[in-house]
């Protein structure tokens, strides 16, 4: 309704359908520009006139009521818009308050997190400082202890030095006193001797005269007695004859006793003494029986027949064959038959010597081991020594298994090999003593090069057995055998300083068997000893899987090196 009162003078708006009134002149009515302006100076009185005129026109208009309703509706719409804006403003205010509360909560949470982080950092820093202080205290204490220990050691060294110095000083004083005492005694004795020199010389002269007189009288008495006895003996011919006969019988008795003693000694040596060529035997010598009778009897009682293949690992075919030989040998001894001579050949360390010992024990026989390398150095004595071996073998009541290791060292071909006359004579003696099969001894030869044997030696061999290198199955059995013997039994026994780490022992033995291809039984047994030595050399005595693998790798490298040397020797110089 502001247009009725002229409040909007710039652009007066009237109700629709009414004529627009022209705006009054700028100067207003009356031109009172020189009068002072007050608060009513801007009031336009013509507005009232226009309002009155407009009211009259409105009353006269047929749309007055609609204009009034429209104006009222516009006013209500304006009020509703203002209320809507107020509500929006209030909602914005509430949202602003919620945002402020959320922001305050976030700020409070951040503040709490920051305070927590600072507390944690402070606690960690304090803990770090405490640890540093504790470490500093420990270092100071350690330095103090080391300083005290050093001072104690220095004190002990000083005391020991002072003690040694005191002892040396006492010894020096004692030595000086002893020298002074000896010097004083010597001077006193010399002074006494000088003072009594005449008396001493007189005593010596008297003693010499008395001794001379005694000797002369003894000679005279002995000569007189001997002369009387000799004259009486010569004058009596019966005494002369009896004396001559007694001396003759005494000489004959001495000679006979010496001859009988030599014959008995040779007989005892042939029966009980061990020949010089025999290195090892299960028979006992007289000296051993006299020195250890209980031990000899106990060992003899315990030497019961055993399985010939106990502890011997061979291939199935070879095991079956040597078992047949063992059974035949045992039955031959029980029936007092003739033994068969055997040749065992193959690489070193394949079980030839071990089987020979087991064969003798299984058959209930004695065994003796000699090596062919001991024959050649004996020279001329080789023939006698060889006969002694076979004479000694023939005296065994249980039968003797004579094992000759490295037999090719002296049983070489006489037609092509250049051998000395002494070695040739020794070979002939060996051929003479083994010309026929015997019921007293069994000959077992072992060689790595049987093709070098003399043909007469081959003629005396009844059975040839080849001991080859162990296969995969035999290697695994050998590895398990020596692992139990040298590792498991000492580790579980508790009497030795040895422990075993935890791992799959069976799988490890299988792996080692695959890695030791080409190695002999002796090399695998040495591998077991190497494992044991590795455990003993460690600080805690524990044998680990890594230590076992390291020893296996070293052993296999050494085996390859030996094979290279062997092939180099076989190929010869270029």
């Amino acid at each position: 309704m502001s247009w009725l009162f002229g409040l909007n003078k710039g652009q007066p708006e009237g109700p629709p359908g009414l004529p627009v009134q022209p705006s009054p002149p700028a100067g207003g009515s009356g031109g009172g520009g020189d009068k002072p302006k007050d608060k009513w100076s801007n009031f336009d009185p013509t507005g009232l006139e226009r309002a009155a005129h407009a009211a009259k026109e409105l009353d006269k208009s047929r749309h007055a009521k609609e204009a009034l309703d429209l104006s009222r509706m516009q006013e209500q719409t304006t009020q509703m818009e203002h209320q809507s804006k107020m509500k929006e403003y209030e909602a914005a205010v509430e949202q602003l308050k919620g945002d402020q509360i959320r922001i305050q909560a976030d700020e409070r949470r951040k503040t709490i997190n920051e305070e927590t982080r600072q507390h944690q950092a402070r606690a960690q820093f304090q803990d770090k400082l405490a640890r540093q202080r504790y470490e500093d205290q420990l270092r100071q204490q350690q330095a103090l202890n080391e300083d005290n220990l050093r001072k104690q050691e220095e004190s002990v060294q000083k005391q020991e030095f002072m003690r040694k110095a005191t002892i040396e000083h006492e010894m020096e004083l004692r030595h000086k006193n002893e020298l002074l005492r000896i010097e004083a005694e010597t001077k006193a004795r010399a002074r006494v001797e000088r003072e009594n020199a005449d008396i001493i010389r007189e005593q010596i002269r008297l003693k010499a005269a008395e001794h001379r007189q005694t000797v002369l009288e003894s000679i005279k008495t002995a000569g007189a007695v001997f002369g009387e006895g000799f004259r009486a003996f010569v004058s009596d011919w019966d005494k002369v004859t009896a004396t001559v006969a007694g001396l003759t019988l005494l000489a004959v008795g001495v000679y006979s006793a010496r001859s009988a003693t030599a014959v008995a000694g040779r007989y005892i040596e042939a029966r009980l003494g061990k020949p010089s060529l025999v290195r090892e035997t299960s028979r006992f010598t007289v000296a051993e029986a006299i020195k250890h009778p209980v031990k000899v009897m106990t060992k003899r009682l315990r030497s019961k027949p055993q399985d010939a293949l106990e502890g011997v690992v061979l291939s199935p075919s070879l095991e079956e064959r040597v078992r047949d030989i063992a059974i035949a040998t045992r039955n031959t001894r029980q029936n007092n038959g003739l033994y068969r001579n055997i040749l065992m050949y193959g690489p070193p360390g394949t079980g030839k010597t071990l089987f020979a010992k087991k064969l003798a024990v299984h058959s209930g026989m004695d065994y003796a081991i000699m090596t062919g390398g001991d024959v050649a150095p004996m020279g001329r004595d080789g023939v006698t020594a060889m006969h002694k071996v076979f004479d000694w073998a023939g005296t065994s009541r249980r039968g003797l298994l004579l094992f000759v290791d490295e037999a090719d060292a002296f049983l070489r071909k006489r037609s092509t090999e250049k051998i000395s006359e002494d070695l040739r004579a020794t070979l002939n003696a060996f051929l003479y003593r083994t010309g026929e099969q015997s019921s007293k001894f069994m000959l077992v030869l072992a060689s790595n090069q049987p093709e070098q044997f003399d043909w007469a030696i081959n003629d005396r061999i009844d059975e040839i057995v080849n001991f080859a290198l162990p296969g995969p199955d035999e290697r695994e059995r050998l590895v398990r055998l020596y692992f139990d013997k040298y590792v498991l039994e000492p580790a579980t026994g508790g009497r030795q300083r040895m422990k075993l780490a935890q791992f799959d022992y069976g799988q490890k033995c299988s792996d080692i068997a695959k890695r030791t291809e080409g190695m002999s039984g002796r090399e695998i047994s040495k591998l077991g000893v190497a494992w044991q030595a590795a455990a003993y050399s460690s600080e805690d005595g524990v044998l680990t899987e890594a230590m076992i693998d390291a020893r296996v790798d070293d052993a296999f490298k050494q085996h390859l090196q030996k094979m290279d040397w062997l092939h180099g020797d076989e190929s010869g110089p270029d």
Side-chain angles (χ1 to χ4, degrees):
M1 298 294 290
S2 59
W3 58 274
L4 294 176
F5 299 100
L7 295 178
N8 296 328
K9 295 189 298 180
Q11 293 180 354
E13 294 182 358
L18 295 180
V20 180
Q21 296 295 330
S23 58
S29 61
D34 297 333
K35 295 181 180 180
K37 293 182 180 181
D38 55 5
K39 64 180 180 179
W40 300 103
S41 61
N42 292 330
F43 179 74
D44 188 6
T46 60
L48 294 177
E49 294 177 359
R50 289 193 302 272
H53 179 73
K56 288 177 181 183
E57 294 293 331
L58 183 61
D59 290 338
K60 292 178 181 181
S61 176
R62 59 185 182 88
H63 298 291
K65 186 177 180 179
E66 288 82 357
L68 184 62
D69 292 337
L70 180 61
S71 176
R72 187 182 301 110
M73 289 178 63
Q74 289 179 352
E75 189 68 24
Q76 290 176 357
T77 302
T78 304
Q79 292 179 359
M80 290 178 66
E81 289 177 357
H82 282 295
Q83 290 177 359
S84 175
K85 290 182 179 180
M86 290 294 294
K87 290 181 179 180
E88 290 178 358
Y89 176 73
E90 291 176 356
V93 170
E94 293 295 332
Q95 184 178 1
L96 182 60
K97 290 181 179 179
D99 293 340
Q100 290 179 353
I101 293 172
R102 186 174 64 255
I103 292 171
Q104 291 177 358
D106 292 340
E107 291 294 333
R108 188 178 300 107
R109 185 171 60 254
K110 291 180 180 179
T111 303
I112 293 173
N113 292 335
E114 184 65 22
E115 290 177 353
T116 304
R117 187 183 63 79
Q118 290 180 359
H119 285 308
Q120 291 179 353
R122 187 181 302 108
Q124 292 177 357
F125 183 71
Q126 291 177 355
D127 182 66
K128 182 178 179 180
L129 290 178
R131 287 199 302 268
Q132 289 181 354
R133 286 196 298 269
Y134 181 70
E135 291 176 357
D136 292 339
Q137 292 177 358
L138 288 179
R139 284 195 294 269
Q140 293 176 1
Q141 186 66 30
Q142 184 178 2
L144 183 61
N145 293 336
E146 292 178 354
D147 187 50
N148 293 334
L149 181 61
R150 181 178 54 79
K151 290 180 180 179
Q152 290 178 0
E153 292 178 352
E154 291 178 355
S155 177
V156 170
Q157 291 178 356
K158 289 181 180 179
Q159 292 177 1
E160 184 67 18
F161 178 76
M162 293 176 63
R163 188 181 65 83
K164 289 182 179 179
T166 304
I167 293 174
E168 291 177 356
H169 184 65
E170 291 178 354
M171 292 179 64
E172 185 178 359
L173 292 178
R174 190 179 297 111
H175 181 66
K176 289 181 179 180
N177 293 332
E178 188 70 18
L179 290 178
L180 293 175
R181 185 183 62 80
I182 293 173
E183 184 179 1
E185 291 179 354
T186 304
K187 290 181 179 179
R189 191 181 298 110
R191 186 172 61 255
V192 171
E193 289 179 355
R194 284 196 303 270
E195 293 176 354
N196 299 327
D198 297 338
I199 300 174
I200 293 173
R201 282 196 296 271
E202 186 63 25
Q203 289 178 354
I204 292 172
R205 188 172 59 255
L206 292 175
K207 287 181 180 180
E210 183 179 358
H211 178 70
R212 186 171 57 255
Q213 186 66 27
T214 303
V215 170
L216 290 175
E217 291 179 357
S218 299
I219 292 173
K220 289 179 180 179
T221 304
V225 172
F226 181 75
E228 291 294 333
F230 182 73
R231 280 195 300 271
F233 175 75
V234 172
S235 61
D236 191 352
W237 289 101
D238 294 334
K239 293 181 179 180
V240 174
T241 304
T243 303
V244 173
L247 293 175
T248 304
L249 292 175
L250 179 62
V252 172
V254 171
Y255 180 76
S256 300
R258 290 182 59 187
S259 301
T261 302
V263 173
R266 286 194 295 270
Y267 177 79
I268 293 174
E269 182 181 3
R271 291 280 178 177
L272 302 175
K274 184 179 74 172
S276 58
L277 283 178
V278 175
R279 291 210 167 196
E280 181 182 351
T281 180
S282 61
R283 296 180 63 180
F284 298 101
T285 62
V286 179
E288 292 177 350
I290 295 174
K291 188 178 296 183
H292 306 289
V294 178
K295 181 179 178 182
V296 170
M297 293 301 297
T298 303
K299 190 171 182 180
R300 178 64 70 182
L301 292 174
R302 290 181 179 177
S303 61
K304 297 180 181 180
Q306 301 176 359
D307 185 7
L309 297 179
E310 181 180 359
V312 182
V313 178
L314 303 173
S315 62
S317 58
L318 181 58
E319 182 176 345
E320 182 180 0
R321 185 176 181 187
V322 297
R323 190 178 293 278
D324 293 340
I325 294 175
I327 295 173
T329 304
R330 184 175 183 180
N331 293 332
T332 300
R333 177 186 176 276
Q334 292 176 352
N335 294 280
N336 198 21
L338 297 176
Y339 294 107
R340 304 183 70 202
N341 300 327
I342 301 175
L343 169 62
M344 298 186 297
Y345 72 96
T350 52
K352 299 186 289 295
T353 306
L354 179 61
F355 171 70
K357 292 182 181 180
K358 296 289 184 179
L359 176 62
V361 176
H362 171 76
S363 305
M365 303 172 63
D366 293 323
Y367 69 84
I369 299 176
M370 60 175 288
T371 178
D374 293 339
V375 178
M378 300 195 71
R380 297 180 179 179
D381 297 332
V383 176
T384 304
M386 189 62 65
H387 285 297
K388 284 183 179 181
V389 169
F390 286 100
D391 291 340
W392 176 74
T395 60
S396 175
R397 292 180 297 175
R398 306 173 62 191
L400 182 74
L401 188 148
L402 181 59
F403 179 76
V404 183
D405 195 11
E406 303 296 337
D408 53 276
F410 80 102
L411 300 180
R412 295 176 174 271
K413 297 177 182 179
R414 291 170 293 178
S415 58
T416 58
E417 296 287 342
K418 294 181 180 180
I419 59 177
S420 63
E421 292 299 327
D422 296 333
L423 187 58
R424 186 184 299 272
T426 304
L427 175 57
N428 291 333
F430 182 85
L431 294 174
Y432 172 75
R433 299 305 294 263
T434 58
E436 297 180 357
Q437 290 178 313
S438 173
S439 61
K440 296 292 185 180
F441 63 88
M442 175 181 180
L443 184 64
V444 178
L445 304 179
S447 174
N448 302 330
Q449 299 174 341
E451 66 276 2
Q452 297 184 1
F453 280 162
D454 189 86
W455 181 251
I457 297 297
N458 295 331
D459 184 60
R460 284 159 173 75
I461 295 173
D462 302 311
E463 185 126 12
I464 300 176
V465 182
N466 180 17
F467 282 73
L469 291 173
D473 296 337
E474 290 75 34
R475 288 199 303 273
E476 184 169 355
R477 290 168 57 193
L478 286 169
V479 171
R480 292 180 182 274
L481 173 65
Y482 294 119
F483 187 83
D484 293 342
K485 181 178 179 181
Y486 295 111
V487 178
L488 283 182
E489 292 181 1
T492 56
R495 295 190 297 260
Q496 301 182 14
R497 182 186 176 272
M498 184 174 181
K499 298 178 183 178
L500 188 60
Q502 293 296 328
F503 55 89
D504 191 351
Y505 306 145
Q507 183 62 36
K508 176 54 63 176
C509 291
S510 301
D511 295 340
I512 293 173
K514 296 178 182 178
R515 295 164 57 187
T516 54
E517 183 179 359
M519 296 178 66
S520 64
R522 181 182 293 121
E523 289 176 317
I524 296 176
S525 68
K526 292 181 179 180
L527 190 59
V529 178
W531 295 335
Q532 193 179 76
Y536 291 153
S537 62
S538 62
E539 295 181 357
D540 51 0
V542 177
L543 180 63
T544 62
E545 188 175 3
M547 297 166 65
I548 292 177
D549 293 335
R551 293 301 183 277
V552 173
D553 294 338
D554 292 342
F556 190 71
K557 290 179 181 177
Q558 295 175 9
H559 169 73
L560 295 179
Q561 182 63 50
K562 294 176 184 177
M563 291 299 100
D564 292 340
W565 292 342
L566 178 61
H567 296 155
D569 293 340
E570 290 178 354
S571 60
D574 294 338

